[in-house]
Amino acid sequence: MKPPRRNTLYTVVAMTVAGLVGAVLAVFGTATSAAAATGLRVTDGRVYEANGNEFVMRGVNHAHVWYPGETGSLADIAATGANTVRIVLGSGDRWTRTSASEVSSLIGQCKANKLICVLEVHDTTGYGEDGAAASLDQAADYWVDVRSALEGQENYVVINIGNEPFGNTGYTGWTEATKNAIGKLRGAGLYHALMVDAPNWGQDWSNTMRTNAASVFASDPDRNTIFSIHMYGVYDTAAEVRDYLNHFVNNGLPIVVGEFGDAHSDGNPDEDAIMATAQSLKVGYIGWSWSGNGSGVEYLDMVNGFDADEPTSWGSRFLTGANGISTTSEPATVYGDVPGGGGGTAPNGYPYCLSGSSDPDGDGWGWENNRSCVVRGSSADPGSGEGGTAPNGYPYCLSGSSDPDGDGWGWESNRSCVVRGSSADG
């Protein structure tokens, strides 16, 4: 979405699509990733966890930078069954800067709630058309500045470099600016999966991202970049939705619908087609947004007043309707949600086995993907039993309520404990 006004209410995007050009499309070759050692990664146009489990995003956008006191929304979003949350941050160029410590806390809360964390800088929204917007280069500088909070979190975090980084003016600069930003992050030692938004306020009506996606992907030395299209009024027919998403899938390029709603001032998006097509193609989607919209687009709130018990019609449609979150979202296996297996990493650093049959002699150690694995809950699992012990030697907390300030450290039985999966769990 475009950024809110100074009073934190969202402005209306006035999209001009009458001049839609029929650009000649480049023919994409199949893009195959260079597999990363750890973390979320792209292979053959699909997103995988480090353990080889395919991961399809089913998530919700949350406007943290304008509502920093609403961090309880992460637990509420997780309770819907979502496996991903896309969190709005500020680089300080236009919106209040989200500090490295705040980023670390947000990642810890994502992990505590078993959510994959897509972090995005919103200050870039509409660059070239909106004079207050920051450039992708400025956004890249921000990510480099907060890398201390990001390092080691590759299993849990996707870096969405900049939200809707060009408006309807100067958008031909998107390709080079995106390549340069990717290069800056990789050069700084950030090896996370990256996400890049389309120009034209995210909707790519000019097909700039579609035409140049293959060369942008190839420019990433890690081949670990995901493309994000925002679908509002430009995508008001099922044919347009299918054509755009199929193009990426058919050409082996990773695509996710990073924002969409069921209505908008620039036209009426076909949310049924978006969700159905994403489900049939195994493409991720992240709906806009949990709560806090205003200035005439309050209808994009999924719940009223950040109250999870007050869903709106859009929220009900998105969360529990056909092809919605509750029926299509599958948890990230890094959090070990599959009983007896499901991937993830044991406290001793070995991966959990995906199947108990990998351990035929029953000693708790198995063999998968050409390396040893640990059977969850076995005698070889340092994290089994009540609590268990974190790699830093402190016991895991038995209850998340032991950590009221969300920093990953709790207090139980007269000693410190670590919240499993938090920023303190290392």
Side-chain angles (χ1 to χ4, degrees):
M1 284 290 291
K2 292 179 79 172
R5 294 176 182 168
R6 298 178 72 86
N7 61 359
T8 75
L9 298 181
Y10 295 95
T11 57
V12 176
V13 181
M15 301 292 296
T16 303
V17 297
L20 185 62
V21 292
V24 178
L25 303 180
V27 178
F28 295 159
T30 299
T32 303
S33 165
T38 60
L40 293 157
R41 65 181 185 269
V42 172
T43 302
D44 295 328
R46 299 290 179 178
V47 179
Y48 292 87
E49 296 182 69
N51 61 20
N53 181 71
E54 186 172 355
F55 182 71
V56 180
M57 294 183 189
R58 289 287 181 267
V60 175
N61 282 274
H62 172 57
H64 172 78
V65 73
W66 305 301
Y67 300 99
E70 298 292 346
T71 54
S73 294
L74 299 186
D76 293 335
I77 289 169
T80 69
N83 61 27
T84 301
V85 61
R86 180 173 180 257
I87 301 179
V88 179
L89 307 182
S91 63
D93 295 292
R94 182 171 189 180
W95 311 114
T96 302
R97 181 181 176 86
T98 309
S99 68
S101 61
E102 194 175 356
V103 171
S104 182
S105 177
L106 287 167
I107 293 171
Q109 290 175 71
C110 284
K111 292 165 69 174
N113 287 292
K114 301 182 179 181
L115 293 165
I116 295 300
C117 212
V118 178
L119 302 175
E120 62 103 336
V121 163
H122 215 79
D123 303 53
T124 56
T125 307
Y127 179 76
E129 184 174 347
D130 188 334
S135 67
L136 275 174
D137 188 60
Q138 288 172 291
D141 286 339
Y142 169 80
W143 293 118
V144 173
D145 286 346
V146 300
R147 64 184 168 185
S148 62
L150 301 167
E151 290 172 337
Q153 304 301 326
E154 294 86 353
N155 285 326
Y156 312 97
V157 172
V158 176
I159 300 174
N160 190 172
I161 301 177
N163 182 69
E164 300 178 3
F166 284 84
N168 295 324
T169 303
Y171 57 83
T172 57
W174 176 89
T175 303
E176 195 65 24
T178 301
K179 290 179 179 179
N180 289 339
I182 291 170
K184 179 171 283 191
L185 267 61
R186 295 303 188 213
L190 291 170
Y191 303 115
H192 305 68
L194 304 178
M195 185 178 290
V196 294
D197 283 8
N200 308 129
W201 301 98
Q203 298 203 74
D204 200 28
W205 57 258
S206 64
N207 282 330
T208 299
M209 184 171 81
R210 173 172 162 158
T211 301
N212 294 286
S215 68
V216 169
F217 186 85
S219 76
D220 179 357
D222 292 351
R223 304 297 193 272
N224 202 21
T225 296
I226 303 163
F227 298 93
S228 174
I229 182 68
H230 294 182
M231 290 188 161
Y232 293 108
V234 172
Y235 299 91
D236 56 358
T237 69
E240 289 167 321
V241 171
R242 289 194 295 263
D243 178 66
Y244 197 91
L245 296 181
N246 269 297
H247 183 84
F248 280 78
V249 172
N250 291 341
N251 287 283
L253 291 163
I255 185 73
V256 63
V257 183
E259 288 186 21
F260 71 103
D262 66 341
H264 207 266
S265 57
D266 69 335
N268 184 17
D270 191 338
E271 70 281 3
D272 293 341
I274 293 168
M275 297 168 76
T277 304
Q279 178 64 13
S280 67
L281 295 177
K282 298 175 71 176
V283 163
Y285 67 64
I286 310 172
W288 186 277
S289 70
W290 186 244
S291 198
N293 292 285
S295 194
V297 292
E298 292 86 353
Y299 50 76
L300 288 171
D301 282 1
M302 294 180 185
V303 300
N304 290 312
F306 294 95
D307 185 348
D309 294 325
E310 293 289 337
T312 65
S313 58
W314 164 226
S316 295
R317 166 68 190 93
F318 178 80
L319 298 170
T320 62
N323 300 300
I325 291 289
S326 63
T327 58
T328 68
S329 178
E330 297 182 4
T333 57
V334 70
Y335 296 118
D337 288 326
V338 180
T345 303
N348 59 12
Y350 286 89
Y352 282 119
C353 301
L354 298 178
S355 171
S357 63
S358 303
D359 174 29
D361 61 1
D363 67 351
W365 290 96
W367 185 263
E368 291 178 349
N369 298 320
N370 296 314
R371 69 169 297 185
S372 296
C373 60
V374 173
V375 176
R376 188 181 298 277
S378 71
S379 59
D381 180 8
S384 64
E386 292 188 353
T389 303
N392 58 14
Y394 286 89
Y396 283 118
C397 300
L398 300 179
S399 171
S401 63
S402 305
D403 174 28
D405 60 359
D407 66 352
W409 290 96
W411 185 263
E412 292 178 349
S413 302
N414 295 315
R415 68 168 297 185
S416 295
C417 59
V418 173
V419 176
R420 188 183 298 276
S422 71
S423 58
D425 185 7

